[in-house]
Amino acid sequence: MENPFYQFDPRLSAYFEEAEKRCAPVYARIDEIAAYNEAKVLHAFGEARVSESHFAGSTGYGYGDRGREVLDAVFARAMDAEDALVRHNFVSGTHALTVALFGVLRTGDRMLSLTGAPYDTMEEVIGIRGEGSGSLRDFGVEYEQVDLLPDGTPDLEGIRSRVVGAKVAYIQRSRGYSLRESLSIASIAELVRIVREADPSVRIIVDNCYGEFVEKQEPTSVGADLIVGSLIKNPGGGIAKTGGYIAGKKELVELCSYRLTCVGMGKEVGCTLNESRELFMGLFFAPSVVASAVKTSVFALALFDLLGFRVYPAYDAHRTDIIAAIELNTREGLVAFCQGIQKGSPVDSFVLPEPWDMPGYENEVIMAAGAFTLGASIELSADGPLREPYAVYLQGGLTANTGKTGVMLAAQAMLGQGALKLYSQNT
Ligand SMILES: *Cc1c(COP(=O)(O)O)cnc(C)c1O
């Protein structure tokens, strides 16, 4: 990456060249998936007959907002789903997941997580932590989880026996803040098959955050009942300013819409203000932006593997999400890495991130995010809880070249702090 703008330690530049060489065939695979998904999304736009009039927003109740209805239709088609609820007024992925769970579950029901502990922010929603604040548990919904096996994979035998009689089987596709493997679409298809065999009445809900468009299929393509995610991650294409989605079986999406707005009104209300055009555009860009994020991720994994760190997954692994996890081993390493990523961001590059007690998270967390959209993790961002083994979770990159520059600056910052030792340049 020769240019006059960023000067890297020459030894680091040699590592860059080597990482790029190793990644070339992986990048080619990513491009092939992106081409497929771009065609899928383009076709969905055509089938739904998107036109310029759909970009005009509505106000007030938002009755008869055609843009809102057509966006749901395009999104559903792109996700191989019957219907979708794509709204700027989901405040986050956690909110969309909450609406989905409260939409489907009733008092006396049991929710079973098939993939161990859910994402940190879901603990209070479910009622694993906290009491009396209106969690699912406060409303009489029972929660159980089938822990992952020691190797990080789902316990298929445990699932088979314990899923019988559950109302919801909950699957988290991406690793989140853990070092387990993310679940490929093929693995999700197997879980779906096992659940259906054990008890066909169970509803399967997938936390699809960070997974959209990384593979050619989505969990809904292989039989999941609902998928849920955030629009400031993959499917917003870096353009959506806020929002979330729920997609899947029509009658379940309707139940969720009753929870988002009100019973009886559901999808018929909710003005779009001026957000529609950006949600359409974001979806259109999403497959190519996701490809940039996956390339950034693959590069980071290859580079830090070469530098001697433990990385998850391997740079050439089959990918199902955009997250790279790297064990940086020390608090100083984690902090320096995030500060380097911040330096490589287009916005707030001069800010020095520090660890803080973020609401909803149990440990101190450090986050680097110099994004056009606050908190958007489809944009280059890195974060990690300040606990052993000081793993950093890296995601995003609106363009692959700027993403790689950010990763190089992270390595350089670690080098400057003594948190990275270069033994030799001839890799
Ligand atoms: C991001 C994410 C969520 C939701 O997080 P928000 O910050 O509320 O959007 C849930 N699950 C996983 C696995 C995630 O990555």
Side-chain angles (χ1 to χ4, degrees), residues 92-95 97 119 121 172 174 176 207 209-210 230 233 361:
S92 65
T94 303
H95 182 207
L97 285 160
Y119 192 72
T121 58
Q172 184 182 307
S174 168
D207 172 353
C209 283
Y210 287 134
S230 164
K233 294 180 180 173
Y361 293 84

Side-chain angles (χ1 to χ4, degrees), residues 57-349:
S58 58
T59 57
Y61 298 123
Y63 289 132
D65 186 321
R66 269 304 284 161
R68 187 186 63 215
E69 293 165 7
V70 171
L71 178 64
D72 285 345
V74 179
F75 200 93
R77 195 176 278 272
M79 293 287 147
D80 297 323
E82 290 175 9
D83 199 4
L85 189 59
V86 186
R87 294 293 181 275
H88 75 268
N89 28 15
F90 282 118
V91 304
S92 65
T94 303
H95 182 207
L97 285 160
T98 301
V99 167
L101 292 172
F102 275 92
V104 173
L105 288 158
R106 299 290 178 267
T107 298
D109 285 345
R110 183 164 58 96
M111 163 183 177
L112 182 71
S113 169
L114 309 188
T115 45
Y119 192 72
D120 289 32
T121 58
M122 295 308 294
E123 291 185 358
E124 282 173 272
V125 174
I126 292 167
I128 300 169
R129 269 192 297 136
E131 207 173 311
S133 41
S135 65
L136 285 165
R137 185 197 197 150
D138 286 341
F139 281 93
V141 174
E142 199 191 331
Y143 172 80
E144 286 179 9
Q145 68 189 39
V146 182
D147 287 325
L148 297 166
L149 295 172
D151 70 355
T153 60
D155 173 4
L156 303 184
E157 285 318 305
I159 290 168
R160 221 184 291 275
S161 59
R162 291 173 65 191
V163 79
V164 178
K167 174 72 164 288
V168 162
Y170 185 82
I171 296 171
Q172 184 182 307
R173 178 173 175 184
S174 168
R175 68 178 73 245
Y177 279 148
S178 83
L179 295 175
R180 71 153 169 98
E181 286 290 306
S182 298
L183 278 188
S184 67
I185 294 296
S187 311
I188 291 172
E190 189 182 12
L191 289 183
V192 168
R193 190 179 55 75
I194 287 169
V195 171
R196 296 281 182 247
E197 267 172 26
D199 186 344
S201 67
V202 176
R203 308 299 202 174
I204 301 169
I205 301 182
V206 180
D207 172 353
N208 203 30
C209 283
Y210 287 134
E212 300 88 353
F213 300 120
V214 176
E215 297 195 55
K216 291 180 182 175
Q217 292 184 301
E218 299 297 332
T220 27
S221 320
V222 296
D225 292 303
L226 282 181
I227 53 173
V228 186
S230 164
L231 294 187
I232 62 169
K233 294 180 180 173
N234 305 15
I239 293 174
K241 287 198 292 263
T242 181
Y245 77 89
I246 297 171
K249 294 274 156 57
K250 194 170 181 58
E251 83 270 13
L252 296 182
V253 171
E254 189 170 349
L255 285 178
C256 296
S257 75
Y258 291 162
R259 171 72 199 193
L260 175 65
T261 67
C262 358
V263 178
M265 293 186 189
K267 297 183 75 182
E268 307 297 314
V269 293
C271 66
T272 51
L273 302 175
N274 283 319
E275 303 308 312
S276 295
R277 179 174 171 276
E278 285 172 352
L279 299 193
F280 277 108
M281 245 180 117
L283 176 60
F284 180 74
F285 272 96
S288 82
V289 171
V290 167
S292 295
V294 180
K295 284 179 187 171
T296 302
S297 176
V298 162
F299 169 75
L301 292 164
L303 180 72
F304 277 80
D305 177 38
L306 285 168
L307 292 171
F309 292 88
R310 213 182 280 257
V311 301
Y312 306 86
Y315 77 96
D316 57 353
H318 174 90
R319 295 305 296 266
T320 194
D321 67 18
I322 64 171
I323 301 186
I326 305 167
E327 286 186 7
L328 296 170
N329 308 326
T330 60
R331 185 183 170 98
E332 296 68 38
L334 176 55
V335 171
F337 184 100
C338 289
Q339 292 177 345
I341 291 291
Q342 187 76 32
K343 222 180 266 180
S345 303
V347 182
D348 290 335
S349 60

Side-chain angles (χ1 to χ4, degrees), residues 3 281-282 293 341 365 404:
N3 64 59
M281 245 180 117
I341 291 291
V365 179
K404 290 180 210 172

